[in-house]
Amino acid sequence: MIVLRPAAAGPPCATIWLKPNRALSRRDLRRWIGVLAALALTTAGLGAWQGNVFAPLFALVESSAVALALGVAWRAGDRSERITLDATSLEVQSLPGRRSARFQSYWVRVRLGEGEGRHRLLLTSHGRELEIGAFLADEERIELSRKLMVLLADLHPQPRR
């Protein structure tokens, strides 16, 4: 998901938030885990009623493992990137975490390259290269590259010949 927030006043500035797409909220995830656990425990109860005394124990272990796996996968969606662009710099900050990179906005180039069966969105400047939006879909990366190119062109228009 790409969220563009232009500055309200002052010098030209824009902030772009990149976040992975999520299908469920935290409340919906809890409900889904509850439904899965209820189904597993109901099935285990039927199995215990027919003589399999270990079925409820296995269902508890399986439900816990599934809940843990879904929780870990859901928390992986918390990662995001914030791109702040102004007249002098372009800064990319990865959240959560402390990874940050700063480029001079006049010299930074946006490049969409091929790699590993998908498009890679790269920012390059002065021999440094940074991939952004790795968690986005290919269409979103293409859209982001266009937006960044337009924003950079608006900040530093080329002189007419």
Side-chain angles (χ1 to χ4, degrees):
M1 176 173 48
I2 302 169
V3 179
L4 176 63
R5 294 191 178 137
C13 179
T15 301
I16 301 174
W17 286 92
L18 306 178
K19 298 179 181 187
N21 293 321
R22 275 194 175 161
L24 297 175
S25 67
R26 183 181 300 270
R27 187 175 75 193
D28 291 338
L29 177 70
R30 286 185 183 143
R31 285 181 182 169
W32 182 242
I33 289 172
V35 167
L36 290 176
L39 288 172
L41 291 173
T42 301
T43 305
L46 288 172
W49 181 59
Q50 293 180 355
N52 185 358
V53 294
F54 295 110
L57 177 65
F58 177 76
L60 285 174
V61 171
E62 184 253 348
S63 295
S64 300
V66 168
L68 178 68
L70 288 173
V72 167
W74 191 85
R75 270 191 243 84
D78 282 344
R79 66 184 189 268
S80 64
E81 292 177 349
R82 183 179 66 197
I83 303 170
T84 307
L85 177 65
D86 60 26
T88 59
S89 67
L90 183 145
E91 182 179 4
V92 179
Q93 185 176 17
S94 296
L95 303 168
R98 301 191 185 271
R99 191 187 83 167
S100 180
R102 182 180 293 259
F103 298 98
Q104 293 177 354
S105 62
Y106 186 79
W107 296 106
V108 71
R109 297 294 171 251
V110 180
R111 188 167 58 99
L112 199 58
E114 293 289 330
E116 302 171 12
R118 62 180 180 86
H119 289 97
R120 295 179 65 210
L121 182 56
L122 302 168
L123 299 176
T124 58
S125 176
H126 294 91
R128 293 187 322 154
E129 186 174 82
L130 176 68
E131 181 177 4
I132 59 172
F135 48 80
L136 297 175
D138 273 347
E139 296 80 23
E140 290 175 314
R141 276 192 290 274
I142 293 168
E143 177 187 347
L144 177 61
S145 70
R146 289 183 187 135
K147 284 183 180 182
L148 281 174
M149 286 183 209
V150 167
L151 286 171
L152 287 168
D154 288 347
L155 281 176
H156 304 289
Q158 298 295 321
R160 294 186 181 213
R161 294 179 189 193

